[in-house]
Amino acid sequence: MPKKSGKGVLYAENETEAKDLMLEYTKSIDLDRALVSDSTWATTLRIACDPKEGIAVAEATLLTDLQELRSETNKTARRDAIATQWGTLSGRTATIGGAVQNIASQCRAQYIAGSPVDFSYGATMTETAFEALGASWKTLGTWASGQGLTQFQSFRWLPVENKEEKGKGSVGATLARRGRQGNLFVSIRGITYNVHIDIS
């Protein structure tokens, strides 16, 4: 439980508590921990434990990071950074079409916008269709690797599972629940995106 300094500043007792509090805060402002650099995260935890600065200052630091992450300048920088390799990859996904093309485009959009790394793909599909998609997604990754596309890596997928039965049914802080889902993954410049697909 946070302590209060003589000046009324609430601060974390230790790094573990600071981490729990800051993770909870990142969720509340829709900021993924994966999008915060390790150095910034370490600084934030230090601030949260400091009786002179405390939790409120640490939260303000994260909020500033979020605003910078989603600034138009940084969005443009991220778009430009992957433009060349995305041009190559998108040409390939256009020949495949369908969900592969749509999901790859959505992952790119999430990266550019600084949006959450976990998101759902809107179309529900059968397990058979998902398995075919997973195979195509993995094949795309093999092709990308062969083309030397180092900014787009680790194309993989996980078989369908019942998230509710696995204790993974919660969707953040919402009342929504997950049922049977499959997952696709891709890493864009070191940031891993996890695409959830509902299975009928």
Side-chain angles (χ1 to χ4, degrees):
M1 185 174 180
K3 288 186 174 181
K4 182 178 289 188
S5 70
K7 294 185 177 180
V9 175
L10 282 176
Y11 65 97
E13 287 192 74
N14 51 55
E15 186 173 311
T16 298
E17 182 178 52
K19 181 179 179 180
D20 290 342
L21 290 169
M22 292 303 101
L23 285 174
E24 184 177 345
Y25 182 69
T26 58
K27 291 178 182 178
S28 74
I29 61 173
D30 203 23
L31 171 63
D32 265 297
R33 163 65 183 91
L35 300 178
V36 181
S37 70
D38 288 341
S39 60
T40 297
W41 185 249
T43 298
T44 301
L45 298 186
R46 179 190 60 75
I47 291 172
C49 293
D50 188 337
K52 295 180 180 179
E53 297 181 286
I55 295 168
V57 175
E59 290 178 345
T61 300
L62 288 174
L63 185 58
T64 298
D65 289 342
L66 175 62
Q67 292 167 342
E68 290 179 356
L69 177 70
R70 296 184 180 169
S71 72
E72 290 305 317
T73 298
N74 285 328
K75 286 180 184 178
T76 299
R78 287 193 293 273
R79 182 183 296 110
D80 291 347
I82 62 172
T84 299
Q85 291 196 17
W86 171 250
T88 301
L89 185 67
S90 63
R92 181 67 174 181
T93 62
T95 66
I96 300 171
V100 168
Q101 182 179 17
N102 294 338
I103 291 170
S105 294
Q106 184 61 38
C107 288
R108 168 184 176 266
Q110 297 286 116
Y111 170 76
I112 291 172
S115 297
V117 297
D118 285 274
F119 64 93
S120 295
Y121 177 63
T124 299
M125 59 182 66
T126 65
E127 186 166 352
T128 300
F130 173 74
E131 289 175 349
L133 170 61
S136 295
W137 190 251
K138 185 176 180 179
T139 299
L140 175 63
T142 301
W143 179 88
S145 178
Q147 295 294 311
L149 302 186
T150 56
Q151 294 178 328
F152 297 87
Q153 299 180 318
S154 303
F155 289 76
R156 60 189 180 88
W157 64 287
L158 290 179
V160 173
E161 66 176 9
N162 190 317
K163 303 293 185 180
E164 193 73 54
E165 290 180 355
K166 296 284 186 178
K168 305 174 185 176
S170 298
V171 182
T174 72
L175 295 177
R177 304 295 296 175
R178 293 192 182 104
R180 297 179 72 241
Q181 284 190 334
N183 297 80
L184 299 180
F185 302 87
V186 64
S187 176
I188 302 179
R189 297 188 78 199
I191 299 173
T192 299
Y193 290 83
N194 179 4
V195 187
H196 303 269
I197 299 175
D198 289 328
I199 305 301
S200 58

